[in-house]
Amino acid sequence: MRRTRKNRIIYTVLLAAVIILFWVIEQYFLPWWTRVEPDQKMVLPEFVEPGTLRGDVIKHAFYSLEYSEQHEQARWVAYTLTRSHLTNDDRRRPFFEKDPWVKTASADWRNYKNSGYDRGHLCPAGDRRFSESAYNETFYTSNISPMDPDFNAGVWNRLEIQVRNWARKYDTLYVITGGVLRKGLPSIGYEEVSVPRAFYKIVVRQNNGDLETVAFLIPHRETSQPLEAFRVSIDQLEEETGIDFFKSMEDRQEDRLEEAIEGSSWPF
C-alpha cells in the first residue's frame, strides 16, 4: 500500500516536471516561428499556388513556397497582400534563420557573407509589418535569394513599392515571385546557392468577378528603365521558369490570363 502511494507521488511529480519542461521549452527555447496568431493566418486560394517541380512545398502561416534543394532557395513564393497588411509598425529586425520545415534544410545565411550579394527577400518583410510573427517569418533563408545590392535597392524595390500601391488601391492581391532558376547559374557560399540572372513577379486581383494579372521579368541588374518595360505574359514566364502557373484553374480562364499582357487596369 505504501509502495503504491509512493509510486503515485513519484508519477505525479514526474508528470508535473514534464509539463513544466514543455512550458519552459515553448516559452524560451522554441523560436519565434512557432508563435503564430491563428486569426492572422494567410488565406491563399488554391489557384494561386503554382505547379511543383519535384521541390519541397512549404505552407507557412503567411506565405507558401516551393524549395529547390538544387538551387538552395525557393523556386516560387506566393502570398496574399491586402490593404490592411500595409502598416508602419516598428518591428525589431531578427536574424536570418534556416527554415525548419524544409526537409533538406534551407541554406545557411553565412553563404551570403562577403559574397557581394544581399540576402534579398522574396516575400518582403515590409509587406508583413502588421504582425510580429508574419514579419519574423520572412527571415527564413528559404525566403531569400542572392540579389545585387543596387538591384535590390533599385528596380526590385520600386516594383515592391508599386505592388503596395496597387494593394492600397485594389485591396486584396495575390503575389507569386522568385528568381529564374536553371542549370549553369553562378553560385555563392559553401552550399553553392544559385544566383539568378533574372527575377519575376506575378500580381493577381479580382475585378468585378474576373481575375486580372500583371507579370514582370526583370534582368538581375540595376536599371533606370520604367517598370512597364519589363511586363511580359505569363506564358513567357512559364517558358523562362519551367513553372506551370495557375495549374488548378479552369483551362479557358487560365489561357486568357496567361496569354494577356494587361494594360490600363494596372496604372503605374
Side-chain angles (χ1 to χ4, degrees), residues 29-77:
F29 293 99
L30 285 181
W32 41 257
W33 55 71
T34 63
R35 303 168 191 168
V36 175
E37 302 87 336
D39 62 333
Q40 291 186 325
K41 287 188 177 182
M42 179 187 69
V43 178
L44 191 65
E46 183 181 356
F47 74 83
V48 176
E49 188 172 295
T52 61
L53 294 173
R54 302 180 301 279
D56 192 2
V57 175
I58 309 296
K59 295 187 178 182
H60 288 306
F62 301 100
Y63 63 88
S64 297
L65 64 92
E66 179 191 356
Y67 195 78
S68 170
E69 174 64 20
Q70 176 186 356
H71 297 284
E72 291 290 6
Q73 64 197 275
R75 190 178 301 277
W76 54 260
V77 170

Short mmCIF file of all heavy atoms in Angstrom, two decimals, residues 29-77:
data_model
loop_
_atom_site.label_atom_id
_atom_site.label_comp_id
_atom_site.label_asym_id
_atom_site.label_seq_id
_atom_site.Cartn_x
_atom_site.Cartn_y
_atom_site.Cartn_z
N PHE A 29 12.67 28.46 -25.55
CA PHE A 29 13.59 27.82 -26.47
C PHE A 29 13.03 27.63 -27.87
O PHE A 29 13.77 27.68 -28.84
CB PHE A 29 14.02 26.45 -25.91
CG PHE A 29 14.86 26.57 -24.67
CD1 PHE A 29 14.30 26.39 -23.42
CD2 PHE A 29 16.20 26.88 -24.77
CE1 PHE A 29 15.07 26.52 -22.28
CE2 PHE A 29 16.98 27.01 -23.62
CZ PHE A 29 16.42 26.82 -22.38
N LEU A 30 11.72 27.41 -28.00
CA LEU A 30 11.17 27.31 -29.33
C LEU A 30 11.26 28.67 -30.01
O LEU A 30 10.94 29.69 -29.41
CB LEU A 30 9.70 26.87 -29.28
CG LEU A 30 9.48 25.38 -28.97
CD1 LEU A 30 8.00 25.09 -28.96
CD2 LEU A 30 10.19 24.48 -29.95
N PRO A 31 11.71 28.72 -31.25
CA PRO A 31 11.92 30.01 -31.92
C PRO A 31 10.61 30.69 -32.26
O PRO A 31 9.53 30.09 -32.19
CB PRO A 31 12.68 29.61 -33.19
CG PRO A 31 12.32 28.18 -33.41
CD PRO A 31 12.09 27.58 -32.07
N TRP A 32 10.74 31.96 -32.65
CA TRP A 32 9.57 32.78 -32.91
C TRP A 32 8.65 32.22 -33.98
O TRP A 32 7.49 32.52 -34.02
CB TRP A 32 10.01 34.19 -33.28
CG TRP A 32 11.19 34.26 -34.18
CD1 TRP A 32 12.47 34.57 -33.83
CD2 TRP A 32 11.23 34.03 -35.59
NE1 TRP A 32 13.29 34.53 -34.92
CE2 TRP A 32 12.56 34.20 -36.01
CE3 TRP A 32 10.27 33.67 -36.53
CZ2 TRP A 32 12.96 34.03 -37.32
CZ3 TRP A 32 10.67 33.50 -37.85
CH2 TRP A 32 11.99 33.68 -38.22
N TRP A 33 9.16 31.36 -34.90
CA TRP A 33 8.32 30.92 -35.99
C TRP A 33 7.20 29.99 -35.53
O TRP A 33 6.29 29.68 -36.29
CB TRP A 33 9.14 30.22 -37.07
CG TRP A 33 9.98 29.07 -36.63
CD1 TRP A 33 9.56 27.84 -36.24
CD2 TRP A 33 11.40 29.06 -36.53
NE1 TRP A 33 10.63 27.06 -35.91
CE2 TRP A 33 11.78 27.78 -36.09
CE3 TRP A 33 12.40 30.00 -36.81
CZ2 TRP A 33 13.10 27.42 -35.90
CZ3 TRP A 33 13.71 29.63 -36.62
CH2 TRP A 33 14.05 28.37 -36.16
N THR A 34 7.24 29.49 -34.28
CA THR A 34 6.16 28.63 -33.80
C THR A 34 5.03 29.43 -33.18
O THR A 34 4.00 28.86 -32.85
CB THR A 34 6.70 27.66 -32.73
OG1 THR A 34 7.18 28.39 -31.61
CG2 THR A 34 7.82 26.81 -33.29
N ARG A 35 5.21 30.72 -33.01
CA ARG A 35 4.23 31.53 -32.29
C ARG A 35 3.44 32.39 -33.27
O ARG A 35 3.84 33.50 -33.61
CB ARG A 35 4.94 32.40 -31.25
CG ARG A 35 5.74 31.55 -30.26
CD ARG A 35 6.66 32.40 -29.42
NE ARG A 35 7.59 31.56 -28.69
CZ ARG A 35 8.65 32.01 -28.04
NH1 ARG A 35 8.91 33.31 -28.03
NH2 ARG A 35 9.46 31.18 -27.42
N VAL A 36 2.36 31.84 -33.76
CA VAL A 36 1.57 32.49 -34.79
C VAL A 36 0.16 32.76 -34.27
O VAL A 36 -0.45 31.89 -33.66
CB VAL A 36 1.50 31.61 -36.06
CG1 VAL A 36 0.57 32.23 -37.08
CG2 VAL A 36 2.89 31.42 -36.64
N GLU A 37 -0.33 33.96 -34.54
CA GLU A 37 -1.68 34.30 -34.16
C GLU A 37 -2.65 33.60 -35.11
O GLU A 37 -2.64 33.89 -36.31
CB GLU A 37 -1.90 35.82 -34.25
CG GLU A 37 -0.95 36.65 -33.38
CD GLU A 37 0.35 36.99 -34.09
OE1 GLU A 37 0.73 36.24 -35.01
OE2 GLU A 37 0.97 37.99 -33.73
N PRO A 38 -3.48 32.67 -34.63
CA PRO A 38 -4.33 31.87 -35.52
C PRO A 38 -5.25 32.71 -36.39
O PRO A 38 -5.50 32.36 -37.54
CB PRO A 38 -5.14 31.00 -34.54
CG PRO A 38 -4.30 30.93 -33.31
CD PRO A 38 -3.62 32.28 -33.22
N ASP A 39 -5.75 33.83 -35.87
CA ASP A 39 -6.70 34.63 -36.64
C ASP A 39 -6.02 35.47 -37.71
O ASP A 39 -6.68 36.14 -38.48
CB ASP A 39 -7.52 35.53 -35.71
CG ASP A 39 -6.64 36.52 -34.94
OD1 ASP A 39 -5.46 36.21 -34.72
OD2 ASP A 39 -7.15 37.59 -34.59
N GLN A 40 -4.69 35.45 -37.76
CA GLN A 40 -3.99 36.26 -38.75
C GLN A 40 -3.36 35.43 -39.86
O GLN A 40 -2.65 35.95 -40.70
CB GLN A 40 -2.89 37.09 -38.06
CG GLN A 40 -3.45 38.20 -37.18
CD GLN A 40 -2.36 39.09 -36.63
OE1 GLN A 40 -1.26 38.63 -36.34
NE2 GLN A 40 -2.66 40.35 -36.49
N LYS A 41 -3.61 34.12 -39.86
CA LYS A 41 -3.00 33.28 -40.88
C LYS A 41 -3.51 33.65 -42.26
O LYS A 41 -4.66 34.04 -42.45
CB LYS A 41 -3.29 31.81 -40.59
CG LYS A 41 -2.49 31.27 -39.41
CD LYS A 41 -2.65 29.76 -39.27
CE LYS A 41 -1.80 29.23 -38.15
NZ LYS A 41 -1.89 27.76 -38.02
N MET A 42 -2.63 33.52 -43.24
CA MET A 42 -2.93 33.91 -44.61
C MET A 42 -3.92 32.95 -45.25
O MET A 42 -3.87 31.75 -45.02
CB MET A 42 -1.64 33.91 -45.41
CG MET A 42 -1.78 34.27 -46.87
SD MET A 42 -0.20 34.02 -47.74
CE MET A 42 -0.07 32.23 -47.70
N VAL A 43 -4.81 33.50 -46.05
CA VAL A 43 -5.72 32.70 -46.86
C VAL A 43 -5.26 32.82 -48.30
O VAL A 43 -5.30 33.89 -48.89
CB VAL A 43 -7.17 33.18 -46.71
CG1 VAL A 43 -8.08 32.36 -47.61
CG2 VAL A 43 -7.62 33.08 -45.26
N LEU A 44 -4.80 31.70 -48.87
CA LEU A 44 -4.28 31.71 -50.24
C LEU A 44 -5.13 30.77 -51.09
O LEU A 44 -5.15 29.56 -50.84
CB LEU A 44 -2.82 31.24 -50.25
CG LEU A 44 -2.03 31.42 -51.54
CD1 LEU A 44 -1.85 32.90 -51.86
CD2 LEU A 44 -0.68 30.73 -51.44
N PRO A 45 -5.85 31.29 -52.08
CA PRO A 45 -6.67 30.42 -52.93
C PRO A 45 -5.84 29.35 -53.61
O PRO A 45 -4.67 29.57 -53.94
CB PRO A 45 -7.27 31.40 -53.95
CG PRO A 45 -7.18 32.73 -53.31
CD PRO A 45 -5.95 32.70 -52.46
N GLU A 46 -6.45 28.22 -53.86
CA GLU A 46 -5.73 27.09 -54.45
C GLU A 46 -5.13 27.44 -55.81
O GLU A 46 -4.03 27.01 -56.14
CB GLU A 46 -6.68 25.90 -54.59
CG GLU A 46 -6.00 24.65 -55.13
CD GLU A 46 -6.97 23.49 -55.28
OE1 GLU A 46 -8.14 23.63 -54.89
OE2 GLU A 46 -6.56 22.43 -55.80
N PHE A 47 -5.85 28.24 -56.61
CA PHE A 47 -5.37 28.51 -57.96
C PHE A 47 -4.08 29.33 -57.97
O PHE A 47 -3.36 29.35 -58.97
CB PHE A 47 -6.44 29.24 -58.78
CG PHE A 47 -6.65 30.69 -58.41
CD1 PHE A 47 -5.83 31.68 -58.93
CD2 PHE A 47 -7.67 31.06 -57.55
CE1 PHE A 47 -6.02 33.01 -58.60
CE2 PHE A 47 -7.87 32.38 -57.21
CZ PHE A 47 -7.04 33.36 -57.73
N VAL A 48 -3.78 30.02 -56.87
CA VAL A 48 -2.59 30.86 -56.82
C VAL A 48 -1.33 30.02 -56.72
O VAL A 48 -0.27 30.40 -57.23
CB VAL A 48 -2.67 31.84 -55.63
CG1 VAL A 48 -1.38 32.66 -55.51
CG2 VAL A 48 -3.86 32.77 -55.79
N GLU A 49 -1.42 28.85 -56.10
CA GLU A 49 -0.23 28.03 -55.90
C GLU A 49 0.18 27.38 -57.21
O GLU A 49 -0.58 26.62 -57.80
CB GLU A 49 -0.50 26.96 -54.84
CG GLU A 49 0.74 26.19 -54.44
CD GLU A 49 0.48 25.28 -53.26
OE1 GLU A 49 0.19 25.80 -52.16
OE2 GLU A 49 0.53 24.05 -53.45
N PRO A 50 1.40 27.63 -57.69
CA PRO A 50 1.84 27.06 -58.97
C PRO A 50 2.06 25.55 -58.87
O PRO A 50 2.11 24.97 -57.79
CB PRO A 50 3.18 27.78 -59.22
CG PRO A 50 3.16 28.98 -58.33
CD PRO A 50 2.37 28.57 -57.12
N GLY A 51 2.22 24.93 -60.05
CA GLY A 51 2.60 23.54 -60.08
C GLY A 51 4.02 23.38 -59.56
O GLY A 51 4.82 24.31 -59.60
N THR A 52 4.34 22.20 -59.05
CA THR A 52 5.64 21.97 -58.45
C THR A 52 6.55 21.19 -59.38
O THR A 52 6.09 20.48 -60.27
CB THR A 52 5.51 21.21 -57.12
OG1 THR A 52 4.90 19.94 -57.38
CG2 THR A 52 4.65 21.99 -56.14
N LEU A 53 7.85 21.33 -59.15
CA LEU A 53 8.86 20.63 -59.95
C LEU A 53 9.77 19.81 -59.04
O LEU A 53 10.95 20.10 -58.88
CB LEU A 53 9.69 21.65 -60.75
CG LEU A 53 8.95 22.44 -61.82
CD1 LEU A 53 9.84 23.52 -62.41
CD2 LEU A 53 8.48 21.50 -62.94
N ARG A 54 9.19 18.81 -58.40
CA ARG A 54 9.94 17.91 -57.54
C ARG A 54 10.54 18.61 -56.34
O ARG A 54 11.46 18.12 -55.70
CB ARG A 54 11.05 17.19 -58.32
CG ARG A 54 10.54 16.39 -59.51
CD ARG A 54 11.68 15.70 -60.23
NE ARG A 54 12.66 16.65 -60.71
CZ ARG A 54 12.53 17.35 -61.84
NH1 ARG A 54 11.45 17.20 -62.58
NH2 ARG A 54 13.47 18.18 -62.23
N GLY A 55 10.06 19.78 -56.04
CA GLY A 55 10.58 20.53 -54.90
C GLY A 55 9.81 20.22 -53.63
O GLY A 55 8.92 19.38 -53.59
N ASP A 56 10.17 20.92 -52.58
CA ASP A 56 9.56 20.76 -51.27
C ASP A 56 8.61 21.93 -51.06
O ASP A 56 9.05 23.07 -50.89
CB ASP A 56 10.67 20.75 -50.21
CG ASP A 56 10.17 20.30 -48.85
OD1 ASP A 56 8.97 19.97 -48.75
OD2 ASP A 56 10.96 20.30 -47.90
N VAL A 57 7.29 21.68 -51.08
CA VAL A 57 6.30 22.74 -50.92
C VAL A 57 6.03 22.95 -49.43
O VAL A 57 5.68 22.02 -48.72
CB VAL A 57 4.99 22.42 -51.65
CG1 VAL A 57 3.94 23.49 -51.37
CG2 VAL A 57 5.24 22.30 -53.15
N ILE A 58 6.23 24.18 -48.99
CA ILE A 58 6.06 24.55 -47.59
C ILE A 58 4.94 25.59 -47.50
O ILE A 58 4.97 26.60 -48.21
CB ILE A 58 7.35 25.16 -47.00
CG1 ILE A 58 8.55 24.25 -47.27
CG2 ILE A 58 7.18 25.44 -45.51
CD1 ILE A 58 8.49 22.91 -46.62
N LYS A 59 3.97 25.34 -46.61
CA LYS A 59 2.88 26.29 -46.41
C LYS A 59 3.04 26.92 -45.04
O LYS A 59 2.60 26.36 -44.03
CB LYS A 59 1.53 25.60 -46.57
CG LYS A 59 1.30 25.08 -47.98
CD LYS A 59 -0.10 24.54 -48.18
CE LYS A 59 -0.30 24.09 -49.62
NZ LYS A 59 -1.67 23.60 -49.88
N HIS A 60 3.69 28.06 -45.01
CA HIS A 60 3.84 28.79 -43.77
C HIS A 60 2.55 29.53 -43.45
O HIS A 60 1.60 29.53 -44.25
CB HIS A 60 5.01 29.78 -43.88
CG HIS A 60 6.35 29.11 -43.87
ND1 HIS A 60 6.74 28.24 -42.89
CD2 HIS A 60 7.40 29.18 -44.74
CE1 HIS A 60 7.95 27.81 -43.12
NE2 HIS A 60 8.38 28.35 -44.25
N ALA A 61 2.52 30.18 -42.31
CA ALA A 61 1.31 30.88 -41.90
C ALA A 61 1.00 32.06 -42.81
O ALA A 61 -0.16 32.38 -43.06
CB ALA A 61 1.44 31.36 -40.45
N PHE A 62 2.05 32.72 -43.36
CA PHE A 62 1.84 33.97 -44.08
C PHE A 62 2.36 33.96 -45.51
O PHE A 62 2.30 34.96 -46.20
CB PHE A 62 2.47 35.12 -43.30
CG PHE A 62 1.89 35.25 -41.91
CD1 PHE A 62 2.56 34.75 -40.82
CD2 PHE A 62 0.66 35.85 -41.71
CE1 PHE A 62 2.04 34.85 -39.54
CE2 PHE A 62 0.12 35.96 -40.44
CZ PHE A 62 0.80 35.46 -39.34
N TYR A 63 2.88 32.85 -45.97
CA TYR A 63 3.23 32.66 -47.38
C TYR A 63 3.53 31.19 -47.62
O TYR A 63 3.80 30.43 -46.68
CB TYR A 63 4.42 33.54 -47.80
CG TYR A 63 5.73 33.24 -47.09
CD1 TYR A 63 6.61 32.28 -47.58
CD2 TYR A 63 6.09 33.94 -45.94
CE1 TYR A 63 7.82 32.02 -46.92
CE2 TYR A 63 7.28 33.69 -45.29
CZ TYR A 63 8.14 32.72 -45.79
OH TYR A 63 9.33 32.45 -45.15
N SER A 64 3.48 30.79 -48.88
CA SER A 64 3.83 29.43 -49.28
C SER A 64 5.01 29.50 -50.24
O SER A 64 5.26 30.53 -50.87
CB SER A 64 2.65 28.73 -49.97
OG SER A 64 1.56 28.59 -49.08
N LEU A 65 5.73 28.39 -50.36
CA LEU A 65 6.87 28.36 -51.27
C LEU A 65 7.16 26.94 -51.72
O LEU A 65 6.74 25.97 -51.09
CB LEU A 65 8.11 28.95 -50.60
CG LEU A 65 8.67 28.23 -49.37
CD1 LEU A 65 9.75 27.20 -49.77
CD2 LEU A 65 9.26 29.21 -48.37
N GLU A 66 7.89 26.83 -52.82
CA GLU A 66 8.47 25.56 -53.25
C GLU A 66 9.98 25.69 -53.16
O GLU A 66 10.57 26.53 -53.84
CB GLU A 66 8.06 25.20 -54.68
CG GLU A 66 8.68 23.87 -55.12
CD GLU A 66 8.53 23.60 -56.60
OE1 GLU A 66 7.88 24.39 -57.30
OE2 GLU A 66 9.10 22.59 -57.07
N TYR A 67 10.59 24.87 -52.32
CA TYR A 67 12.03 24.98 -52.12
C TYR A 67 12.77 24.07 -53.09
O TYR A 67 12.45 22.89 -53.24
CB TYR A 67 12.41 24.62 -50.69
CG TYR A 67 13.82 25.05 -50.35
CD1 TYR A 67 14.08 26.39 -50.05
CD2 TYR A 67 14.88 24.15 -50.36
CE1 TYR A 67 15.37 26.81 -49.76
CE2 TYR A 67 16.17 24.57 -50.07
CZ TYR A 67 16.41 25.90 -49.77
OH TYR A 67 17.69 26.33 -49.49
N SER A 68 13.79 24.62 -53.73
CA SER A 68 14.64 23.86 -54.63
C SER A 68 15.97 23.57 -53.92
O SER A 68 16.77 24.47 -53.70
CB SER A 68 14.91 24.65 -55.92
OG SER A 68 15.93 24.02 -56.68
N GLU A 69 16.20 22.32 -53.58
CA GLU A 69 17.45 21.93 -52.94
C GLU A 69 18.63 22.15 -53.89
O GLU A 69 19.72 22.54 -53.48
CB GLU A 69 17.37 20.46 -52.51
CG GLU A 69 18.68 19.90 -51.95
CD GLU A 69 19.11 20.58 -50.66
OE1 GLU A 69 18.26 21.20 -49.99
OE2 GLU A 69 20.30 20.49 -50.33
N GLN A 70 18.40 21.91 -55.17
CA GLN A 70 19.46 22.09 -56.16
C GLN A 70 20.00 23.51 -56.16
O GLN A 70 21.20 23.73 -56.30
CB GLN A 70 18.93 21.74 -57.55
CG GLN A 70 19.94 21.96 -58.67
CD GLN A 70 19.33 21.74 -60.05
OE1 GLN A 70 18.16 21.35 -60.17
NE2 GLN A 70 20.10 21.99 -61.09
N HIS A 71 19.10 24.48 -55.99
CA HIS A 71 19.50 25.90 -56.06
C HIS A 71 19.55 26.56 -54.69
O HIS A 71 19.91 27.73 -54.59
CB HIS A 71 18.55 26.65 -56.98
CG HIS A 71 18.57 26.17 -58.40
ND1 HIS A 71 19.59 26.46 -59.27
CD2 HIS A 71 17.70 25.37 -59.09
CE1 HIS A 71 19.35 25.89 -60.45
NE2 HIS A 71 18.21 25.23 -60.37
N GLU A 72 19.16 25.84 -53.64
CA GLU A 72 19.19 26.33 -52.25
C GLU A 72 18.41 27.63 -52.07
O GLU A 72 18.85 28.57 -51.41
CB GLU A 72 20.63 26.50 -51.77
CG GLU A 72 21.38 25.18 -51.57
CD GLU A 72 20.87 24.38 -50.38
OE1 GLU A 72 19.86 24.77 -49.77
OE2 GLU A 72 21.49 23.34 -50.08
N GLN A 73 17.21 27.67 -52.64
CA GLN A 73 16.30 28.80 -52.48
C GLN A 73 14.93 28.41 -53.03
O GLN A 73 14.78 27.33 -53.60
CB GLN A 73 16.82 30.04 -53.22
CG GLN A 73 16.92 29.87 -54.72
CD GLN A 73 17.82 30.92 -55.36
OE1 GLN A 73 17.36 32.02 -55.65
NE2 GLN A 73 19.09 30.57 -55.54
N ALA A 74 13.96 29.28 -52.88
CA ALA A 74 12.61 28.99 -53.35
C ALA A 74 12.53 29.15 -54.87
O ALA A 74 13.06 30.11 -55.44
CB ALA A 74 11.60 29.90 -52.68
N ARG A 75 11.85 28.20 -55.49
CA ARG A 75 11.54 28.34 -56.92
C ARG A 75 10.44 29.38 -57.10
O ARG A 75 10.43 30.12 -58.06
CB ARG A 75 11.12 26.99 -57.49
CG ARG A 75 11.00 26.94 -58.99
CD ARG A 75 10.63 25.55 -59.46
NE ARG A 75 11.61 24.57 -59.06
CZ ARG A 75 12.73 24.33 -59.73
NH1 ARG A 75 12.99 25.02 -60.83
NH2 ARG A 75 13.58 23.42 -59.31
N TRP A 76 9.51 29.38 -56.16
CA TRP A 76 8.47 30.42 -56.12
C TRP A 76 8.04 30.64 -54.67
O TRP A 76 8.13 29.74 -53.84
CB TRP A 76 7.26 30.08 -56.99
CG TRP A 76 6.61 28.74 -56.74
CD1 TRP A 76 6.79 27.60 -57.47
CD2 TRP A 76 5.69 28.39 -55.69
NE1 TRP A 76 6.04 26.56 -56.94
CE2 TRP A 76 5.35 27.02 -55.85
CE3 TRP A 76 5.11 29.10 -54.63
CZ2 TRP A 76 4.48 26.35 -55.00
CZ3 TRP A 76 4.24 28.45 -53.77
CH2 TRP A 76 3.93 27.08 -53.96
N VAL A 77 7.60 31.85 -54.41
CA VAL A 77 6.96 32.22 -53.14
C VAL A 77 5.64 32.87 -53.49
O VAL A 77 5.57 33.73 -54.38
CB VAL A 77 7.84 33.20 -52.32
CG1 VAL A 77 7.07 33.75 -51.14
CG2 VAL A 77 9.12 32.51 -51.86
#
